Amino acid sequence: QVQLVESGGGLVQAGGSLRLSCAASGRSISRYGMGWFRQAPGKEREFVAGMSWSGSSIYYVDSVKGRFTISRDNSKNTVFLQMDSLKPEDTAVYYCAAGLGAQGRALADFDSWGQGTQVTVSS
């Protein structure tokens, strides 16, 4: 079991940027697929970005392509989500997730979750 803690959320104006971090502990993430999900008020949890355990495959939901970038630093046991050109519709609680051997896209592949960090984008 890997423990995940997100940080970097906050309040930002539309067009601004935030960088979310997901610090893992308990196990190395080198063999884990990693993903970011978000959940807005009254909405279902939504896949945002993911990376396979090998780093060879990266996925984004269409609404964030060209604006968000997922990356990992295995030496620091940390995953990042760089969010640029933020829009009010990006407002949500963002969750980091991990799955052993996962490709990094399917929700069912992830079994470890962080507590979430709030991102609020004002217009």
Side-chain angles (χ1 to χ4, degrees), residues 29-35 47 49-59 70-72 74 79 99-105 109-110:
I29 64 169
S30 62
R31 300 295 179 98
Y32 284 79
M34 304 298 300
F47 170 82
M51 177 181 292
S52 64
W53 69 270
S54 66
S56 62
S57 298
I58 298 175
Y59 310 97
I70 186 173
S71 62
R72 68 160 77 204
N74 287 343
V79 179
L100 184 63
Q103 292 300 304
R105 178 166 59 181
D109 288 345
F110 299 100

Side-chain angles (χ1 to χ4, degrees), residues 4 11 14-15 24-25 31 40 63 69 71 75 77-78 88 98-99 101 106 110-111 114 119 121:
L4 306 172
L11 176 64
S25 61
R31 300 295 179 98
S63 61
T69 304
S71 62
S75 68
N77 223 31
T78 302
F110 299 100
D111 52 20
V119 172
V121 184

Side-chain angles (χ1 to χ4, degrees), residues 3-10 20-23 35-39 45 92-97 112-119:
Q3 291 76 50
L4 306 172
V5 179
E6 304 96 333
S7 62
L20 305 184
S21 297
C22 174
W36 289 94
F37 294 76
R38 66 188 180 188
Q39 189 165 21
R45 189 166 297 189
V93 177
Y94 283 71
Y95 298 90
C96 178
S112 297
W113 296 83
Q115 83 289 348
T117 185
Q118 177 71 50
V119 172

Side-chain angles (χ1 to χ4, degrees), residues 1 35 44 62 76-77 79 84 89 109:
Q1 187 176 9
E44 295 182 352
D62 286 344
K76 298 178 180 178
N77 223 31
V79 179
D84 299 320
E89 51 262 45
D109 288 345

Side-chain angles (χ1 to χ4, degrees), residues 10-24:
L11 176 64
V12 65
Q13 290 184 311
S17 297
L18 286 173
R19 189 193 194 202
L20 305 184
S21 297
C22 174

